[in-house]
Every structure is written in structure tokens, then in C-alpha cells.
């Protein structure tokens, strides 16, 4: 969080806005790369925050793309196709054709036998020879395929000269128990052994989405999770090359959302602050109507205010719904209109998942801070045009 940059942007453009600190993100990515050995690659799931994609391109070798729109973003930023893992639970034949229209040379995941059928149709019609696929193993939900379907597809790939890079697996997000990783990796190892036994194809590559836990509500060293997970993973890195698909854990800490206090009022014995942002901009995993308190700063005239005042406020957003509560029973030091609140750790999902079209309010500006220079990545967008 760069307070000088936030104050300068607030003065020139007003609020609300997002600021993504690229320098901080770069340090964090490099720290994570140091945690894992050379047999482990990091793959950024761009659904967490596509605005970071052109900056991460310099530091990462893989990007997971889960929709035609995300693929177009990669084309816009000139991401080399060999870096792309073309994923997504739903792929149409047109989606696959579009990729090959752009000389796609990355990896295509297979989430179902139908995905495989569509891919075979496209490569047959176009006479394409060099195709690499990554079958996805289900974790008991709509994603991926069962073991029998994967084995059947691998057998057919061997006959068709389609290259099977390995297997893909993702079981969820924000997983706290390290015993879950141990269990999943053991099961993946057993399945890879089964594939070799049944098909003759030796699997030496796994793309694994571990769902590393990012702590939003307590102060802690975020790298400790990666370090502990790395110890578990090290039991398998001599046998497999791993690509870790990570979104939230890579990008959450580099973002801040900045909003201004626009109204302060008291009703009976309760105190309220209203801000020009809201839940249509701030989305923390596990958010419960403001009861879980994230990393937030109260700033006035460029200075952080202490929270020693015993007066507790409910901080509500600009949406006309009782659900729009950002902080509940939160101490603020004599808040005044024009003060700003900085919600940190909003680099993942907030600008993507929040209900930005509700009430037809403006979509906020987005800025990046890179090597000390602030760049506007997106100006204000009037959402009413999408609702009329």
C-alpha cells in the first residue's frame, strides 16, 4: 500500500478506485518462486484479476484461461500462446477453432469426453498435427472427468498422435488443512501410476490447483502457507514436474480499494458512516455483512488515523440494500466527510466478482503503480448503459 500514490490519485481523480501495486506484486511473485524449486512452475489464473496479466507476463511462464473473453484479453496483451493453458468447464467448437485461428500452440484442457470429441473434429477438419492436451481429473464436482474417462481418452490419444502432457487437478480454494494437500497428492500419484500401468503412458507432469489459503482477516506472514505446502510437495518433485495454478494467493495482496466517507449520521444509539463505494466493489472471501474485519485504514489529509476512539461505526456502501455493509461495529477516530478508507488485499476477485451492475452505479477507475509511476488502466464506466 503506497499512501503517497493513493493521496495523489484521490486528489486528482476522486474516489472510488482500485490501485494495484505492481512493484509489490513482483516482489511477492519472486518470493514465491524462491520458495518452490526449479521443478515447480507458477501458473496465474487470470480470472482472479486480468488487469495484472501484462505485468505478470514478464515473471510467469503459464496462464490459465477459462473463457473466450479471457482468451481475447491474452490476444490483446500479446501473451504468447505457448504460455496459455486453455481451460474452462465449457468449451464450444467455435472456441477451439478460434484458438487455432490464432496459431495456438499452448495446452488445451479436456474437462469431458465431449471436449475431446470437439477437439478431434477441429483437428481432423483442419489437418492439425501438433496438439497437446491436459485431461482434468474431477474432484467430485462439475469440473473434470472420472478416472475411467481419462484413461480411455489417453488410450485414444496414443492412437491419434495427440500429445498428453499430463493431468490437471483442482479441488477448491482457501483450503486451510495441509492434510488435504497430502491426501490429494497421494491420490494423484496413485492415479498417475495407474495410467502408466493401463495405457503405457508415463505421466511426469501435473498441473495442480492447491487452493492455497490467503488470510484476509488476521495479520500474518502469507508466505508461511507456501513454505509449509512446499514441504509436502517436495516428496513428489523428483517424480513430477508441477505447475501450480494459483489466482487469489498470487494477486490478493497487491490491490487496494479506496473509498471516501460521504455521510455520517447517528440513529438512536447507533453510528453510521456511508461511503461512495460498497459491496459492488469490495469482495472478500468469507465476508459476513462486515462482521469479519479485513485490513482497512482510515486516512485524513494524507495521514493514517488511529482507531483508539471507543465509538463504533457501521460502514455502509452506496447501494440501497441492507446487505451493503463493509464494516460493522468498527472503531473510527472522529470520522469526517472526505476522509478515505483503504481496503487492502483486494487484488483478487473484487473488481471481477462484485455486483457492479446493481443500481446502475459507475464502475470505478483502476490504476497500476509500477516502478513508481501511476497508470490508469481503466477509466470510469457508466453501468446504466448495460441496464437499459
Amino acid at each position: 500500500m503506497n499512501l503517497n500514490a493513493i493521496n495523489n490519485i484521490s486528489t486528482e481523480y476522486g474516489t472510488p478506485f482500485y490501485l494495484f501495486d505492481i512493484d509489490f506484486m513482483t516482489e511477492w511473485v519472486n518470493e514465491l518462486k524462491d520458495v518452490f524449486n526449479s521443478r515447480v512452475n507458477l501458473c496465474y489464473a487470470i480470472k482472479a484479476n486480468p488487469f495484472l496479466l501484462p505485468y505478470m507476463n514478464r515473471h510467469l511462464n503459464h496462464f490459465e484461461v477459462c473463457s473466450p473473453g479471457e482468451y481475447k484479453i491474452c490476444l490483446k496483451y500479446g501473451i504468447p500462446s505457448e504460455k496459455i493453458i486453455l481451460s474452462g468447464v465449457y468449451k464450444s467448437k467455435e472456441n477451439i477453432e478460434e484458438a487455432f485461428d490464432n496459431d495456438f500452440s499452448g495446452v488445451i484442457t479436456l474437462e469431458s469426453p465431449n471436449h475431446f470429441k470437439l477437439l478431434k473434429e477441429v483437428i481432423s477438419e483442419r489437418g492439425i498435427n501438433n496438439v497437446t492436451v491436459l485431461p482434468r481429473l474431477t474432484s467430485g464436482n462439475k469440473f473434470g472427468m472420472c478416472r475411467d474417462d481419462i484413461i480411455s481418452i489417453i488410450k485414444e490419444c496414443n492412437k491419434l498422435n495427440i500429445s498428453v502432457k499430463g493431468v490437471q487437478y483442482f479441488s477448491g480454494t482457501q483450503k486451510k488443512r495441509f492434510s488435504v494437500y497430502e491426501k490429494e497428492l497421494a491420490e494423484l500419484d496413485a492415479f498417475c501410476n495407474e495410467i502408466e500401468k493401463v495405457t503405457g503412458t508415463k505421466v511426469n507432469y501435473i498441473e495442480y490447483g492447491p487452493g492455497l489459503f490467503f488470510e484476509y482477516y488476521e495479520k500474518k506472514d502469507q508466505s508461511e502457507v507456501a513454505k509449509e505446502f512446499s514441504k509436502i510437495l517436495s516428496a513428489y518433485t523428483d517424480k513430477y514436474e508441477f505447475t501450480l495454478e494459483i489466482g487469489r494467493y498470487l494477486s490478493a495482496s497487491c490491490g487496494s480499494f479506496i473509498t471516501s466517507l460521504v455521510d455520517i449520521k447517528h440513529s438512536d444509539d447507533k453510528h453510521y458512516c456511508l461511503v461512495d463505494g460498497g459491496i459492488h466493489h469490495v469482495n472478500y472471501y468469507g465476508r459476513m455483512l462486515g462482521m469479519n474485519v479485513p485490513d482497512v485504514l482510515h486516512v485524513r489529509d494524507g495521514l493514517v488515523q488511529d482507531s483508539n476512539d471507543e465509538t463504533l461505526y457501521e460502514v455502509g456502501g452506496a447501494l440501497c440494500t441492507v446487505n451493503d455493509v463493509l464494516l460493522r461495529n468498527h472503531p473510527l477516530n472522529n470520522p469526517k466527510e472526505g476522509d478515505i478508507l483503504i481496503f487492502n488485499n483486494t487484488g483478487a476477485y473484487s473488481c471481477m466478482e462484485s455486483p457492479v451492475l446493481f443500481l446502475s452505479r459507475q464502475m470505478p477507475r483502476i490504476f497500476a503503480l509500477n516502478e513508481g509511476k501511476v497508470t490508469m488502466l481503466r477509466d470510469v464506466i457508466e453501468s446504466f448503459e448495460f441496464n437499459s
Side-chain angles (χ1 to χ4, degrees):
M1 188 277 302
N2 188 301
L3 193 55
N4 286 334
I6 288 174
N7 289 330
N8 291 338
I9 296 170
S10 299
T11 300
E12 183 172 356
Y13 294 98
T15 59
F17 63 89
Y18 298 97
L19 177 63
F20 301 133
D21 191 330
I22 305 305
D23 298 328
F24 183 89
M25 180 203 74
T26 301
E27 292 177 5
W28 175 231
V29 169
N30 288 333
E31 181 177 352
L32 291 179
K33 288 164 75 173
D34 288 340
V35 169
F36 300 106
N37 61 38
S38 58
R39 292 280 287 171
V40 179
N41 307 301
L42 297 182
C43 172
Y44 178 54
I46 72 172
K47 60 179 175 285
N49 187 343
F51 290 98
L52 301 178
L53 182 59
Y55 302 102
M56 283 196 173
N57 185 34
R58 296 174 293 180
H59 305 289
L60 299 176
N61 293 324
H62 300 284
F63 298 96
E64 187 193 48
V65 174
C66 290
S67 73
E70 289 188 345
Y71 182 64
K72 287 181 172 64
I73 293 173
C74 288
L75 294 177
K76 174 182 176 180
Y77 289 131
I79 305 299
S81 67
E82 61 266 22
K83 287 189 171 187
I84 296 174
I85 298 174
L86 195 62
S87 190
V89 67
Y90 168 56
K91 298 183 186 73
S92 69
K93 186 176 180 181
E94 290 74 22
N95 300 154
I96 299 171
E97 289 174 331
E98 180 184 24
F100 288 115
D101 284 342
N102 290 280
D103 299 321
F104 184 76
S105 60
V107 177
I108 298 177
T109 69
L110 301 176
E111 296 250 8
S112 69
N114 186 57
H115 277 188
F116 187 46
K117 171 179 171 291
L118 295 175
L119 177 64
K120 287 189 295 181
E121 290 177 3
V122 172
I123 63 178
S124 174
E125 293 168 1
R126 299 191 173 207
I128 299 171
N129 296 314
N130 300 318
V131 177
T132 302
V133 298
L134 193 61
R136 180 172 185 171
L137 176 65
T138 185
S139 57
N141 49 39
K142 71 175 183 178
F143 300 100
M145 298 177 283
C146 67
R147 287 165 168 76
D148 289 344
D149 283 340
I150 290 177
I151 287 175
S152 176
I153 285 174
I154 290 176
K155 287 180 178 179
E156 191 169 352
C157 284
N158 291 340
K159 296 176 183 178
L160 296 174
N161 199 31
I162 296 175
S163 176
V164 178
K165 187 173 181 64
V167 295
Q168 181 191 39
Y169 184 79
F170 177 79
S171 65
T173 188
Q174 291 291 79
K175 296 186 304 198
K176 280 190 173 183
R177 291 183 295 144
F178 291 100
S179 59
V180 174
Y181 305 131
E182 293 174 336
K183 181 175 181 290
E184 290 177 348
L185 288 167
E187 290 177 349
L188 281 170
D189 181 45
F191 180 51
C192 291
N193 292 335
E194 180 185 356
I195 290 174
E196 183 176 6
K197 180 179 179 181
V198 175
T199 69
T201 298
K202 182 176 178 58
V203 177
N204 54 21
Y205 177 89
I206 296 175
E207 190 208 329
Y208 180 40
L212 296 179
F213 182 79
F214 185 90
E215 180 56 74
Y216 284 114
Y217 305 112
E218 295 180 12
K219 297 278 188 181
K220 66 180 299 182
D221 182 355
Q222 300 285 2
S223 67
E224 291 302 314
V225 173
K227 291 174 183 176
E228 191 64 30
F229 171 74
S230 180
K231 295 176 184 177
I232 299 170
L233 193 66
S234 64
Y236 300 93
T237 51
D238 285 340
K239 186 175 182 180
Y240 303 102
E241 177 187 355
F242 281 90
T243 291
L244 299 181
E245 179 261 299
I246 311 174
R248 183 192 313 277
Y249 194 72
L250 274 177
S251 59
S253 56
C254 80
S256 297
F257 176 72
I258 294 84
T259 183
S260 293
L261 273 60
V262 294
D263 200 356
I264 299 167
K265 57 186 179 181
H266 312 282
S267 298
D268 298 324
D269 60 346
K270 294 200 67 174
H271 307 278
Y272 298 91
C273 288
L274 300 182
V275 296
D276 56 5
I279 60 169
H280 52 321
H281 302 138
V282 178
N283 180 41
Y284 290 108
Y285 187 93
R287 189 192 72 85
M288 298 176 62
L289 292 175
M291 289 183 282
N292 293 338
V293 181
D295 180 7
V296 59
L297 297 174
H298 174 203
V299 176
R300 179 183 303 136
D301 298 328
L303 299 176
V304 176
Q305 305 297 297
D306 64 53
S307 56
N308 294 329
D309 194 302
E310 294 182 356
T311 305
L312 301 179
Y313 290 81
E314 179 176 302
V315 177
L319 299 182
C320 293
T321 168
V322 294
N323 295 322
D324 191 8
V325 179
L326 298 180
L327 299 169
R328 191 183 297 275
N329 296 326
H330 188 72
L332 292 174
N333 182 16
N334 189 26
K336 300 180 182 300
E337 290 183 27
D339 291 358
I340 65 173
L341 296 180
I342 301 172
F343 287 84
N344 291 315
N345 297 326
T346 54
Y349 294 108
S350 275
C351 66
M352 304 307 299
E353 283 189 339
S354 302
V356 293
L357 297 183
F358 187 50
L359 259 70
S360 299
R361 288 199 170 274
Q362 289 180 334
M363 298 168 66
R365 294 181 176 91
I366 295 177
F367 297 89
L369 176 66
N370 186 30
E371 297 179 350
K373 179 182 178 182
V374 171
T375 301
M376 185 189 296
L377 303 182
R378 186 184 76 188
D379 205 344
V380 165
I381 296 176
E382 294 287 355
S383 70
F384 75 87
E385 296 181 356
F386 297 103
N387 294 339
S388 61

